[in-house]
Amino acid sequence: MALTDLRDKLVADLGRDGVIDDPAHLRTYECDALTGYRVVPALVVLPRDAGEVATAVRACAEHGVPFVARGAGTGLSGGALPTADGVVISLQRLRRIIEVDPVNRRAVVQPGVTNLDISKAAAAYGLYYAPDPSSQQVCTIGGNVAENSGGAHCLKYGFTANHVLAVDVVLPDGTPTRLGGDAPHQAGFDLLGAFVGSEGTLGVVTAVVVRLLHTPATVRTLAADFDSTETAGAAVTAVIAAGIVPAAIEMMDNLAIQAVNEAVDAGFDPDTAAVLIIELDGPADEVEERFAEVTAVCTAATRVTIARDAEQRARFWRGRKAAFAAVGRLSPNYFVQDGVVPRTRLGEALARIAAMADEAGLRVANVFHAGDGNLHPLVLYSEAAGEHERAEALSSAIAELCVELGGSLSGEHGIGTDKACSMPRMFSTDDLETMKRLRAAFDPAGLCNPGKIFPTPRLCGERPGPYRPHPLESAGVIERL
Amino acid sequence: MKPATLAELRDAVRDTDGPLVVRGAGTAAGWAGTPLPGATEIETTGLDRLLAYNPDDMTVAVEAGMPLTRLQAELAPHGQRIALDAARTPAGATVGGLVATADSGPLRHSHGGPRDLVIGVTVVLADGTVARSGGHVIKNVAGYDLGKLFCGSFGTLGVIAEVVLRVHPLPPATRTVALPCDAVEAVDAAGRLLAARLEPVALEWCDGSLLARYEGGPSSVERRAAVTPGTPLDGAAEAKAWQRVGDVSEEQTVVRCGTRPDQLPYVAKHATRVASSVAVGVHTVAVAGDAEVERLRAEFEHVTLCRRPPGSDLPAWGRPHTAVPLMRAVKQRFDPAGRLGAGRFAPWF
Ligand SMILES: Cc1cc2nc3c(=O)[nH]c(=O)nc-3n(C[C@H](O)[C@H](O)[C@H](O)COP(=O)(O)OP(=O)(O)OC[C@H]3O[C@@H](n4cnc5c(N)ncnc54)[C@H](O)[C@@H]3O)c2cc1C
């Protein structure tokens, strides 16, 4: 009943073309890019502005109906997965760049604007928006805020959280508010910082104020081949230990290289065990000095190719950014995992993953943000051959391995639906209950994107996996109580 | 009370009745609202151990009562530092205190503040719950980021017990150039330096000079300094110029406020002295008296009172910004009985 009433109310307020309720059309909203999870929502609304978002959220709150915001649906953790009795609030019609302010180096944009369109609008002033997820041509800034998205260049520049000055949000009861301010100084708690990365569970973003940076004066890029992922990992550590902060250090293993070479003409050596793409940017002198140091540190490389021009650099990046999709050529199906290990344990992590893959009888390709220790193992499998469950188990085991090595379940894709059941591996009950206090402060009724981040008995069975102590706890360095 | 371990801290919070107030080294005791009298003081300076440091991972975990200067001394032999240079650091400010006040210095231009450097926290809530968030890796989006939430919480949400920070390399060389200019010119000059893509690590306008500091390789900083308008400062003059920036915090009445960068001239008009991170719009402002504080608050939403003369009855916070109701809701969930830091956010709650 509530849903019928709600639909009528939404149609009255947003107009017939602001509400989708026919089953065929609703199906296009049943999943994000983690396509294994699918739920057709009861309704989809397409608000045209912040006022209509508030109207829609308030109506859901009044009817006690759960809702989830949706940007481009490129999320990889099932963050935008609807509930069957709930509403999807699509931000696709809020795609206006409200203002680019070159004097104060910022832009005000609606949440449905794509990440790349911000940089395109800023380009006229020599400015750009720094965080660069590989999905930047399609993913929205609202989704980026929700996921605290990263990208290859976050090693030097930081993540979404470091580049957002303020957000306008509609709170889960329909109240509009602003978090953050005109500058990175807030009077009181950093509610903006708590909101960014909250995976759509604390409210719906209706505008974002982002910082813009001047494009760097110089960019230098090299691709270095190594005879094993271990030696490549050691080179990453050596670069960082030399006090160098590259803009990016990305690694691909042989399987990933093979896939990429088939998909695009990136020119990587098909026989090398691993390649590192290392990029430095900044003032010319500084980059030249540091680039010389990087090449000196890469002595273990079997071959170093320095991009001679922008075109060759673009080719390296085309290869890197095409890697996920290219892996589709090697295997009918694959899972993308996203975990983080302390950088010094990269070699160990890759060796353990290889061993686990062997044991499972599956192949794993690695393409990742090596500078941050942010792994993206791609578990290749075939649905047709009935390998789904084995592959899923391997993928989860890899994420949990990251925690065991002192890292994290997710570096950028989020917990969402996908890894909620693994959260107790990383956090104790008290940790999670404390996080839920924050959620309850924003959303006492629990209607805003329910079922994400936190393990629930329904999702995980009665007993989610047990908490295991952090390695530093086991070593007696830190104590939990 | 001065607990020496996390367990002692937890017990102290749980087993003491009535209101509590958290104190680090006391270097920001005058910030924000005055705690109501009668609260039991919990001092964190007994929690001052280095917990874990692996230079190659560029992360470090410390107990919250560790003074930042001591932490810097531990990191320096490894060619590393915490990229945080709040003015109160030399006075002994603790890591936990700097996080709780969200304090920062000129390096905020390039590295942000505590919110951008903290990658994990352990906190003790008013009911004795011990909770962690984040972890020991720089890139991490698992769970809510309570470390950021506690930035600027002034001890009202819980006691920060442990902090994990990211570290940065110490620069091989630094160079500062001083350009005499007024506030209007400072905004323009800062914009031009950024447009020239010279990447200063700090751009601070103070006492009629725009200070641009470069860090990096020796020849690169020299060349960048050479093309920057103004006078390159030698070692002693450089130290003195940055000392003056820090000194602004020592004036009688001081606020920290955030504005659009081009609003600096308005801020400066109401100030006796300003240390302004001009390109990001965060200013430490010394003013003549309460009336000027009120004027800044009338114009800007995010103003934090850092220092006022003894006996001043100026309320610590001005008109509530739009997120204050949400702050109250968070406070209610974390500390329903209102035990922690009562008075710090008066008159907001
Ligand atoms: C090929 C590919 C490459 C990728 N590469 C990267 C990468 O390099 N780095 C990276 O970090 N991620 C990457 N991703 C993941 C994804 O693109 C990001 O998480 C992105 O931020 C999601 O944006 P979206 O607009 O698609 O959000 P959606 O998938 O629609 O939603 C994601 C989450 O955000 C919430 N949300 C969306 N809009 C709003 C809003 N306005 N208000 C509140 N909550 C909202 C949703 O409820 C959901 O929880 C990649 C994905 C793909 C498919």
Side-chain angles (χ1 to χ4, degrees), chain A residues 19 30 90 126 184 186 223 246 279 341 388 433 435:
Chain A
V19 181
E30 68 182 350
S90 165
Q186 294 172 73
E279 184 158 289
V341 296
H388 180 108
E433 289 302 318
M435 292 178 192

Side-chain angles (χ1 to χ4, degrees), chain A residues 314-403:
Chain A
R315 260 174 76 196
F316 290 165
W317 283 112
R318 245 191 334 267
R320 163 62 186 88
K321 296 204 173 184
F324 283 10
V327 163
R329 294 169 179 256
L330 296 182
S331 169
N333 308 98
Y334 63 94
F335 287 117
V336 181
Q337 189 45 276
D338 164 48
V340 188
V341 296
R343 187 172 36 230
T344 48
R345 305 192 76 171
L346 267 179
E348 184 184 352
L350 292 171
R352 298 257 310 256
I353 291 169
M356 287 157 71
D358 280 348
E359 199 168 311
L362 294 167
R363 290 183 301 165
V364 172
N366 284 290
V367 190
F368 61 98
H369 311 303
D372 305 298
N374 186 189
L375 300 170
H376 286 322
L378 302 156
V379 178
L380 314 190
Y381 73 100
S382 158
E383 287 283 350
E387 293 171 343
H388 180 108
E389 269 176 35
R390 226 180 331 141
E392 194 168 34
L394 173 60
S395 183
S396 295
I398 290 173
E400 292 177 5
L401 169 72
C402 292
V403 177

Side-chain angles (χ1 to χ4, degrees), chain A residues 398-423:
Chain A
I398 290 173
E400 292 177 5
L401 169 72
C402 292
V403 177
E404 193 191 314
L405 292 176
S408 171
L409 284 172
S410 175
E412 54 183 21
H413 295 169
I415 299 300
T417 311
D418 190 31
K419 283 188 270 194
C421 298
S422 294
M423 283 290 271

Side-chain angles (χ1 to χ4, degrees), chain A residues 51-405:
Chain A
E52 288 194 353
V53 174
T55 302
V57 171
R58 202 175 314 113
C60 289
E62 281 165 8
H63 289 77
V65 171
F67 56 91
V68 54
R70 181 184 174 97
T74 67
L76 287 166
S77 56
L81 185 75
T83 50
D85 57 351
V87 176
V88 170
I89 300 178
S90 165
L91 284 310
Q92 281 299 339
R93 286 181 176 169
L94 275 77
R95 20 189 5 149
R96 212 153 47 80
I97 292 177
I98 298 167
E99 185 192 5
V100 177
D101 174 354
V103 173
N104 293 296
R105 295 165 297 275
R106 61 194 55 201
V108 185
V109 302
Q110 289 190 322
V113 170
T114 67
N115 172 297
L116 193 61
D117 277 347
I118 301 176
S119 289
K120 282 187 184 159
Y125 308 99
L127 298 166
Y128 78 115
Y129 175 67
D132 60 337
S134 303
S135 51
Q136 69 185 147
Q137 298 192 15
V138 268
C139 68
T140 66
I141 189 70
N144 291 178
V145 166
E147 301 289 2
N148 189 16
S149 300
H153 293 81
C154 288
L155 181 58
K156 175 173 173 186
Y157 291 100
F159 319 105
T160 304
N162 310 108
H163 294 270
V164 169
L165 290 169
V167 288
D168 285 341
V169 298
V170 172
L171 295 175
D173 67 355
T175 312
T177 192
R178 168 165 279 217
L179 308 178
D182 285 338
H185 171 77
Q186 294 172 73
F189 320 152
D190 190 346
L191 291 174
L192 172 69
F195 188 93
V196 175
S198 61
E199 304 195 28
T201 62
L202 301 182
V204 181
V205 179
T206 56
V208 188
V209 185
V210 297
R211 291 169 53 205
L212 301 173
L213 302 182
H214 283 278
T215 47
T218 315
V219 185
R220 295 278 270 154
T221 312
L222 63 76
D225 296 344
F226 291 86
D227 57 12
S228 73
T229 51
E230 282 79 7
T231 47
V236 174
T237 297
V239 169
I240 304 286
I244 302 166
V245 183
I249 308 185
E250 301 283 304
M251 196 194 297
M252 290 193 281
D253 68 6
N254 182 265
L255 203 49
I257 292 168
Q258 285 179 33
V260 164
N261 278 349
E262 276 188 40
V264 295
D265 170 33
F268 297 119
D269 178 357
D271 296 319
T272 191
V275 64
L276 288 182
I277 301 172
I278 306 182
E279 184 158 289
L280 269 67
D281 69 20
D285 304 323
E286 184 67 19
V287 169
E288 292 312 326
E289 274 181 47
R290 294 289 159 129
F291 199 70
E293 288 174 47
V294 169
T295 29
V297 165
C298 286
T299 43
T302 52
R303 187 178 73 152
V304 175
T305 313
I306 296 172
R308 73 190 101 68
D309 52 21
E311 164 49 27
Q312 194 174 12
R313 178 169 68 247
R315 260 174 76 196
F316 290 165
W317 283 112
R318 245 191 334 267
R320 163 62 186 88
K321 296 204 173 184
F324 283 10
V327 163
R329 294 169 179 256
L330 296 182
S331 169
N333 308 98
Y334 63 94
F335 287 117
V336 181
Q337 189 45 276
D338 164 48
V340 188
V341 296
R343 187 172 36 230
T344 48
R345 305 192 76 171
L346 267 179
E348 184 184 352
L350 292 171
R352 298 257 310 256
I353 291 169
M356 287 157 71
D358 280 348
E359 199 168 311
L362 294 167
R363 290 183 301 165
V364 172
N366 284 290
V367 190
F368 61 98
H369 311 303
D372 305 298
N374 186 189
L375 300 170
H376 286 322
L378 302 156
V379 178
L380 314 190
Y381 73 100
S382 158
E383 287 283 350
E387 293 171 343
H388 180 108
E389 269 176 35
R390 226 180 331 141
E392 194 168 34
L394 173 60
S395 183
S396 295
I398 290 173
E400 292 177 5
L401 169 72
C402 292
V403 177
E404 193 191 314
L405 292 176

